[in-house]
Amino acid sequence: MRNLAAWIDAGSVVALTGAGISTDSGIPDFRGPDGVWTRDPEAMKLSSIDHYVADPQVRRRAWQERLHNPAWTAEPNAAHHALADLERAGKVTAVITQNIDGLHQRAGASNVIELHGTLSQTECLTCAERRPMPETLARVTAGDPDPACLSCGGLLKSATISFGQSMHLPTLEAAAEAAVGCDVLLAIGTSLTVHPAAGLVDVAHKSGAMVVIINAAETPYDPIAHLLVRDPIGEVLPRLVAG
């Protein structure tokens, strides 16, 4: 940890965060021992654009999941606040996140690159119109199990990237630019199995950055990491702020 603190003090840091950083806020991860998909493999269909478009039952279940998503009541935890503190101190230049919960922003981080989009908005798959998610969830609560776009009647979903959907190119380019330019990449709470997000570790490594993986389980990128940290995320990041 002394080396890590020294690396952070000496250069620009980019954080790449996954579901593991939000578990202390009460949001379960997907692939962990008690993850959403581990407990219910059928739930993966909710994150597949092909299943979502083809099956009204999948869409209805997805809207119920959105209505009761723990992100609406979750609060940023010590790890989120620590990254925001490191950004304010000029040490973290960007937070690239695979999460859709908005907790980094609520903790005070300003330069957040949301690779997989956001739960806070809906997007029409036909006309691409975006609206605030609470507006559409109110329609679900009022009895519409599969609300359509109010402008064109197209299918609505959360403004997130599902399996089978293309990434938002400007967002991916911003993430790659941040990874290329950093001196230290902190991969935090991510299994590093989903691409292209996981590939940012390679991008940073090939650009000469120190790669630090803070995750309870092994990842495919452990062999190229300069440091592996298995301690709880909510303890590690606040220690870095304290120095």
Side-chain angles (χ1 to χ4, degrees):
M1 288 295 293
R2 287 183 181 178
N3 285 344
L4 177 53
W7 296 342
I8 289 175
D9 285 338
S12 64
V13 180
V14 167
L16 171 63
T17 67
I21 198 171
S22 292
T23 54
D24 282 353
S25 294
I27 300 177
D29 62 13
F30 296 99
R31 293 179 172 83
D34 196 38
V36 174
W37 296 337
T38 305
R39 290 183 285 106
D40 181 10
E42 281 289 303
M44 287 192 71
K45 290 182 179 180
L46 306 183
S47 297
S48 163
I49 191 64
D50 290 338
H51 283 102
Y52 189 86
V53 170
D55 191 342
Q57 287 300 115
V58 169
R59 291 198 299 276
R60 292 188 182 100
R61 180 177 174 186
W63 283 112
Q64 289 301 312
E65 293 288 339
R66 292 172 190 135
L67 185 63
H68 301 290
N69 195 292
W72 302 126
T73 56
E75 294 294 333
N77 61 53
H80 295 108
H81 287 294
L83 283 181
D85 288 342
L86 289 170
E87 183 190 69
R88 282 189 286 266
K91 297 176 181 180
V92 168
T93 57
V95 176
I96 306 168
T97 187
Q98 297 169 263
N99 299 339
I100 61 173
D101 53 38
L103 292 180
H104 285 299
Q105 294 92 324
R106 289 173 56 193
S110 58
N111 189 18
V112 181
I113 301 170
E114 294 178 305
L115 282 178
H116 295 164
T118 177
L119 184 64
S120 66
Q121 293 181 314
T122 59
E123 183 173 30
C124 176
L125 295 177
T126 301
C127 71
E129 181 183 64
R130 289 196 175 200
R131 289 176 180 263
M133 177 63 79
E135 174 185 301
T136 307
L137 291 182
R139 295 167 59 193
V140 176
T141 301
D144 188 345
D146 185 13
C149 176
L150 293 174
S151 294
C152 76
L155 292 179
L156 287 181
K157 68 179 290 292
S158 57
T160 55
I161 305 298
S162 297
F163 292 117
Q165 278 189 299
S166 298
M167 298 286 290
H168 186 234
L169 186 57
T171 301
L172 190 57
E173 289 174 342
E177 182 178 351
V180 166
C182 72
D183 298 308
V184 180
L185 180 78
L186 299 179
I188 305 166
T190 170
S191 64
L192 297 177
T193 57
V194 176
H195 288 268
L200 294 170
V201 176
D202 265 330
V203 170
H205 184 259
K206 290 176 180 177
S207 299
M210 307 296 285
V211 172
V212 179
I213 297 176
I214 306 172
N215 198 57
E218 294 181 357
T219 81
Y221 288 86
D222 288 4
I224 68 169
H226 297 85
L227 180 64
L228 298 173
V229 181
R230 303 299 188 203
D231 296 336
I233 297 167
E235 297 175 7
V236 172
L237 294 184
R239 287 206 301 266
L240 294 177
V241 176

